[in-house]
């Protein structure tokens, strides 16, 4: 990154979590329910509800919210932003109490 910045090349990342609804969200919950793990209920709908319950915003993120985050990083509005990982997870990874 430090080698690229003088050339106007910015290096950033986007880390989305709990985005849905959609095939991947549904399939992940089905697989977690079938895993036999003590951390997940056996009902995929209960798995989904527990995950959403752990998000401070109490909802899934949308694909458009991820797209908007990427668009921001690609825009001139973020021209002084580099070396950043933009987490799009409704506060899940922030350590906020749900």
């Amino acid at each position: 990154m430090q080698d690229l910045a003088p050339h106007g090349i910015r290096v950033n990342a986007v880390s989305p979590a709990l985005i849905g609804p959609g095939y991947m969200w549904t399939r992940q919950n089905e697989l977690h329910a079938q895993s036999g793990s003590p951390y997940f209920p056996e009902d995929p709908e209960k798995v989904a509800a527990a995950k959403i319950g752990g998000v401070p915003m109490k909802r899934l993120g949308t694909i458009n919210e991820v797209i908007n985050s990427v668009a921001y990083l690609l825009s001139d509005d973020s021209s002084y932003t580099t070396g950043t990982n933009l987490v799009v997870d409704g506060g899940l990874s922030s350590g906020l109490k749900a």
Side-chain angles (χ1 to χ4, degrees):
M1 178 182 64
Q2 292 174 343
D3 294 339
L4 300 173
H7 302 286
I9 299 171
R10 297 178 290 130
V11 179
N12 296 297
V14 177
S15 296
L18 299 183
I19 306 301
Y23 175 79
M24 292 299 295
W25 169 253
T26 301
R27 186 65 180 139
Q28 182 184 52
N29 293 326
E30 290 170 351
L31 292 172
H32 284 155
Q34 296 168 6
S35 71
S37 168
Y39 300 105
F40 297 111
E42 293 181 3
D43 178 353
E45 289 185 23
K46 289 182 180 178
V47 171
K51 289 178 184 178
I52 293 170
V55 177
M57 294 186 82
K58 302 296 184 207
R59 65 177 180 85
L60 291 175
T62 67
I63 293 169
N64 282 339
E65 288 170 318
V66 176
I67 291 168
N68 290 339
S69 298
V70 172
Y72 164 72
L73 289 174
L74 291 171
S75 75
D76 289 339
D77 290 339
S78 70
S79 62
Y80 196 60
T81 304
T82 191
T84 296
N85 180 27
L86 182 53
V87 180
V88 183
D89 70 355
L92 182 66
S93 63
S94 70
L96 296 174
K97 286 277 188 188

